[in-house]
Amino acid sequence: MKKVKIGIIGAGRIGKLHAENLVRLPSAEVTAISDIFADQIKEWAESIGIQDVYDNYKIIINNPEIDAVFICSSTNTHTQIIMEAAKAGKHIFCEKPISFDVEETKRALQIVKETGVKLQIGFNRRFDHNFKRVQEMVKGGKVGQAHIVKVTSRDPNPPTPDYIKVSGGLFIDMAIHDFDMARFVSGSDVEEVYVQGAVLVDPIFGDLEDVDTAVITLKFKNGAIGVIDNSRKAVYGYDQRVEVFGSLGCATVKNDFPNTVELTTDEGVYTDKPKYFFLERYLDAYVEETRDFVNCILYNKAVLVSGYDGLQAELIALAAKKSFKEGKPVKLSEIDA
Ligand SMILES: NC(=O)c1ccc[n+]([C@@H]2O[C@H](COP(=O)([O-])OP(=O)(O)OC[C@H]3O[C@@H](n4cnc5c(N)ncnc54)[C@H](O)[C@@H]3O)[C@@H](O)[C@H]2O)c1
């Protein structure tokens, strides 16, 4: 079997996860990995069979043997690396968000278009077994015309202050997954966004001009309306639910649990808490998104999550940020002037 040769750029939380999934994939070969702190990842890389570790990602991009790169470095580095990789003819998997700036994202997408390489964005939740099923049901007409889309997305614990500072804020760092999910399951682009946000979990979010709690309403181009609720702290674990209600019915996804045992006693009925966080909850989805990307290269198929999807989610996030700041609904056309 032909293998797709891959170089990974950035070996933090998500880069390591993708590397560990890719080395187990028979259709892929991880040839090299780069991180600015190369010395700190050498031992780990060797332990999973990756010998070539560099502190300069350009060595990966300039290696003619490599077919594709995974961009898993901090968000502020993504567009530069996308443009360099595309010009070198590498197919690209890039983590979300593409960037913090719409014009920058568009410049990178233009180069991708001109060079004809494939670009997949890391919206892993589209590969979740349940969410994928909801999308197929809505597309197949099972719920009729979509009227209301509901996404609940609450983290079990807030990130560190250092992370919050560079994250771009709740809307672009966290809710961006939910914006993509809303577009994915509804099958429609979004026209308008309105946000209520608050600092209820930790005052550090306010100090850093961010929020930790939000309710976001969406108006879709197909006429449906949506509501997303976010919190940086749900004491019972990672809360990830989706519902599409339409003219013929309703498709609902509840949380995933480590087990489904229900204990019933004279005091009440008990189950386990939802899976702890994204690494546990989306374990299989991460594997599936990398497998699908590699197959798109091997069989020359279109990727399931495109640069356009990345840009749309980014536009919604920026509209949400503006809506919170100005206290009024914001149309995406105001952001994408
Ligand atoms: N899809 C998801 O579920 C998901 C989850 C977490 C993070 N992310 C995204 O992945 C990206 C990385 O997040 P993370 O949580 O892994 O962060 P992280 O800080 O743990 O890791 C980032 C790594 O990139 C390295 N790096 C920075 N600049 C580099 C460069 N020029 N060349 C090579 N390496 C470089 C850093 O040294 C660090 O090791 C972010 O864009 C984030 O939004 C996506």
Side-chain angles (χ1 to χ4, degrees):
M1 183 188 209
K2 187 184 171 321
K3 284 177 185 255
V4 175
K5 292 194 173 153
I6 291 170
I8 296 174
I9 298 169
R13 285 186 308 176
I14 206 75
K16 281 188 173 142
L17 175 83
H18 287 316
E20 284 164 14
N21 288 336
L22 283 163
V23 294
R24 288 195 216 107
L25 205 61
S27 50
E29 182 185 328
V30 182
T31 306
I33 191 154
S34 111
D35 195 286
I36 45 175
F37 300 110
D39 287 348
Q40 295 175 18
I41 61 158
K42 271 196 176 119
E43 205 177 306
W44 160 83
E46 229 176 272
S47 76
I48 60 164
I50 308 172
Q51 304 301 335
D52 294 339
V53 181
Y54 309 115
D55 59 7
N56 184 348
Y57 71 84
K58 288 179 199 280
I59 302 172
I60 289 184
I61 284 177
N62 293 326
N63 180 347
E65 296 283 302
I66 289 179
D67 302 305
V69 294
F70 269 61
I71 304 175
C72 308
S73 44
S74 337
T75 301
N76 62 340
T77 65
H78 291 178
T79 49
Q80 178 64 26
I81 304 177
I82 289 177
M83 292 191 283
E84 289 179 36
K87 285 180 186 163
K90 311 293 179 207
H91 298 297
I92 302 161
F93 178 100
C94 180
E95 264 309 335
K96 52 52 63 176
I98 300 177
S99 83
F100 297 128
D101 180 274
V102 171
E103 291 313 313
E104 215 181 278
T105 295
K106 282 185 174 173
R107 263 198 303 280
L109 295 187
Q110 181 59 27
I111 304 284
V112 168
K113 193 174 165 195
E114 285 166 15
T115 53
V117 298
K118 295 185 192 299
L119 168 67
Q120 180 170 323
I121 308 303
F123 286 126
N124 55 297
R125 296 183 193 176
R126 287 190 181 214
F127 297 84
D128 173 81
H129 58 145
N130 286 322
F131 298 150
K132 213 160 73 179
R133 191 77 190 105
V134 170
Q135 185 264 347
E136 287 163 1
M137 283 175 166
V138 174
K139 200 171 172 197
K142 298 278 185 215
V143 303
Q145 188 194 350
H147 291 176
I148 300 172
V149 175
K150 283 170 81 173
V151 178
T152 291
S153 182
R154 304 173 190 152
D155 286 355
N157 264 308
T160 61
D162 282 347
Y163 183 91
I164 302 166
K165 271 182 215 153
V166 296
S167 69
L170 179 140
F171 304 113
I172 197 135
D173 174 54
M174 176 181 174
I176 199 157
H177 276 291
D178 309 310
F179 300 143
D180 182 65
M181 184 51 53
R183 288 184 62 249
F184 179 58
V185 294
S186 68
S188 173
D189 276 340
V190 167
E191 203 169 77
E192 191 179 280
V193 184
Y194 181 51
V195 169
Q196 292 285 356
V199 177
L200 301 172
V201 173
D202 188 329
I204 184 77
F205 284 95
D207 297 344
L208 297 172
E209 292 177 22
D210 197 358
V211 294
D212 53 38
T213 308
V215 172
I216 304 162
T217 57
L218 305 171
K219 220 157 105 182
F220 294 91
K221 279 196 176 151
N222 69 0
I225 50 179
V227 58
I228 296 170
D229 79 84
N230 293 123
S231 170
R232 285 287 196 182
K233 187 171 175 66
V235 291
Y236 48 85
Y238 200 33
D239 195 355
Q240 297 282 292
R241 291 169 283 148
V242 166
E243 185 174 287
V244 180
F245 169 82
S247 56
L248 295 181
C250 185
T252 305
V253 179
K254 296 181 183 159
N255 279 313
D256 261 12
F257 295 86
N259 64 72
T260 51
V261 176
E262 194 176 274
L263 172 70
T264 310
T265 71
D266 63 349
E267 289 178 345
V269 182
Y270 304 92
T271 63
D272 208 342
K273 292 192 288 193
K275 286 181 179 169
Y276 176 64
F277 208 175
F278 63 95
L279 294 179
E280 293 81 14
R281 170 68 175 81
Y282 293 117
L283 195 69
D284 295 336
Y286 286 117
V287 174
E288 279 313 307
E289 72 172 346
T290 52
R291 191 200 313 277
D292 207 64
F293 174 66
V294 167
N295 282 344
C296 286
I297 296 171
L298 278 179
Y299 306 112
N300 196 21
K301 293 188 303 172
V303 296
L304 187 65
V305 199
S306 66
Y308 176 81
D309 295 317
L311 174 64
Q312 289 306 308
E314 212 171 293
L315 289 170
I316 304 170
L318 294 174
K321 225 171 162 169
K322 186 169 156 68
S323 170
F324 173 65
K325 206 169 152 198
E326 297 179 358
K328 60 176 195 185
V330 172
K331 289 197 189 310
L332 258 63
S333 56
E334 294 174 47
I335 306 295
D336 193 19

